[in-house]
Amino acid sequence: MENILHRIVELNGINMHVAEKGEGPVVLFLHGFPELWYSWRHQILHLSSLGYRAVAPDLRGYGDTDAPAPLTTYTCFHLVGDIVALIDSLGVDKVFLVAHDWGAILGWYLCLFRPDRVKAYVALSVPFRPFLGRNPQQKTLDIFHALYGDDYYICRFQEPGKMEAELGRVDTAYLMKNMFTTRQTGPPIFPKGEYGTGFNPHTPDTLPSWLTQQDLDYYVTKVERSGFTGGLNYYRNLNINWELTAPWTGVGIENVPVKFITGSVDLVYTSPGMKEYIHNGGFKKDVPTLEEVVVQEGVGHFNNQEAAHDVANHIYDFIKQF
């Protein structure tokens, strides 16, 4: 795709696939579930044309990057270790960080653990609090279970093999289109045994303008190769992450400038209590260096693809000042 370079880097005990283009300060892009480096294709081309070195890996467990079998190798420390090792391999001390969904969660962890490696951070969709908050009475997944029951998708992911079996009943192309095109607001619910209507009960017959058949085919090819287990293992480690990060209880993001971008119909933004947290002071309290919140009207969860040009412009407008 337009002279994007691809290579495999050996780091932190795995082989990681990395896509990159351009020369200059490094902008590191981290994707979410169920995505790939490819989710940043538009931003890679845009930022590289403006004098930046745009770098986007397939994260551990995804695409052409290794997917270790042990569930315990997907903790936040393993995943952030991959990112730090990748930054080292690029020959730079610091990067501009841009991340979406689970990538955004890893971005918050990186800013929390190693703020010395990040010049500035543009987070998409997932703010600091939801997955990093530590409740002394309940662990993360216990809270989700109490609120939404077994049908809440994170709870259903926990038993190894169970969710994979459910996803395996559905055609991969339909499954990916179902996820990417959802306009369902609030936390996603998967009716038991009915995944086909889980994420998006109104899956369109035709693809939206921002997702071509070629794009969908690329995702399908890579997912059919790697499977979903690696990505699901991120969720399966939420409780252990809660325990591992106990030493950071009450610690916010204080040393990295931050910009946050979400869509008005993003399933995270429209979850209970999220708008209040983002706009009424909670987010700013936890992230004192938060400089701007952008809400893209009418845009869903995958805003890096649906509103790609707007997101690219927001990234550039923010990082060019540093």
Side-chain angles (χ1 to χ4, degrees):
M1 180 180 179
E2 298 194 40
N3 298 317
I4 293 176
L5 302 177
H6 296 267
R7 58 195 177 93
I8 299 295
V9 182
E10 185 177 351
L11 50 80
N12 201 29
I14 64 170
N15 293 305
M16 174 173 279
H17 168 246
V18 178
E20 66 175 280
K21 182 178 175 64
E23 299 291 337
V26 174
V27 184
L28 179 59
F29 295 94
L30 306 179
H31 67 79
F33 179 89
E35 301 174 272
L36 301 163
W37 75 269
Y38 191 79
S39 302
W40 301 107
R41 57 199 179 278
H42 303 294
Q43 290 82 15
I44 290 173
L45 298 180
H46 187 83
L47 271 296
S48 64
S49 73
L50 295 172
Y52 292 91
R53 182 184 179 188
V55 179
D58 286 336
L59 295 175
R60 176 181 293 235
Y62 286 90
D64 294 319
T65 291
D66 287 350
L71 173 60
T72 53
T73 59
Y74 291 84
T75 72
C76 58
F77 289 149
H78 291 85
L79 301 172
V80 172
D82 294 344
I83 299 167
V84 172
L86 176 58
I87 295 172
D88 288 341
S89 76
L90 298 173
V92 297
D93 293 326
K94 291 188 174 186
V95 299
F96 291 112
L97 185 66
V98 182
H100 172 258
D101 187 78
W102 250 106
I105 298 172
L106 300 185
W108 293 119
Y109 279 131
L110 180 63
C111 292
L112 190 65
F113 302 153
R114 296 298 306 272
D116 58 305
R117 308 310 300 267
V118 184
K119 294 179 183 179
Y121 180 32
V122 180
L124 278 62
S125 180
V126 181
F128 178 69
R129 179 170 172 255
F131 289 86
L132 300 181
R134 284 162 288 281
N135 184 312
Q137 302 300 321
Q138 285 185 295
K139 296 182 181 180
T140 306
L141 286 167
D142 296 331
I143 296 171
F144 291 147
H145 188 274
L147 287 172
Y148 306 111
D150 290 337
D151 284 350
Y152 188 61
Y153 79 128
I154 293 178
C155 298
R156 299 273 295 287
F157 284 175
Q158 290 310 292
E159 184 180 332
K162 182 176 181 180
M163 196 64 190
E164 289 90 331
E166 291 195 31
L167 297 177
R169 299 190 187 105
V170 184
D171 176 72
T172 305
Y174 172 82
L175 181 63
M176 299 302 290
K177 182 169 75 170
N178 179 284
M179 292 186 185
F180 282 134
T181 61
T182 183
R183 313 303 286 181
Q184 178 175 314
T185 56
I189 305 297
F190 288 173
K192 291 182 179 179
E194 301 176 20
Y195 178 77
T197 59
F199 238 127
N200 184 3
H202 305 291
T203 302
D205 293 330
T206 59
L207 293 172
S209 60
W210 52 269
L211 186 70
T212 69
Q213 187 62 49
Q214 182 180 3
D215 296 334
L216 185 63
D217 290 345
Y218 185 87
Y219 285 110
V220 170
T221 298
K222 297 301 180 181
V223 168
E224 288 182 341
R225 173 190 175 276
S226 65
F228 285 101
T229 298
L232 297 178
N233 283 344
Y234 287 47
Y235 295 93
R236 290 170 177 146
N237 276 278
L238 279 172
N239 272 347
I240 190 63
N241 288 344
W242 183 91
E243 296 174 357
L244 292 172
T245 56
W248 286 269
T249 299
V251 178
I253 306 300
E254 301 178 351
N255 298 307
V256 177
V258 173
K259 181 173 185 173
F260 179 71
I261 308 172
T262 189
S264 65
V265 291
D266 185 302
L267 54 84
V268 177
Y269 182 66
T270 55
S271 290
M274 196 59 64
K275 293 181 183 179
E276 292 77 9
Y277 171 73
I278 290 171
H279 297 294
N280 293 351
F283 193 10
K284 180 66 174 178
K285 180 180 178 181
D286 289 340
V287 185
T289 52
L290 176 66
E291 298 190 8
E292 185 179 3
V293 171
V294 176
V295 180
Q296 299 170 304
E297 190 61 36
V299 176
H301 181 62
F302 297 97
N303 57 338
N304 53 340
Q305 298 185 77
E306 181 180 347
H309 185 69
D310 190 46
V311 166
N313 285 332
H314 276 298
I315 294 168
Y316 177 65
D317 288 344
F318 186 60
I319 68 175
K320 70 181 181 182
Q321 62 187 302
F322 300 102

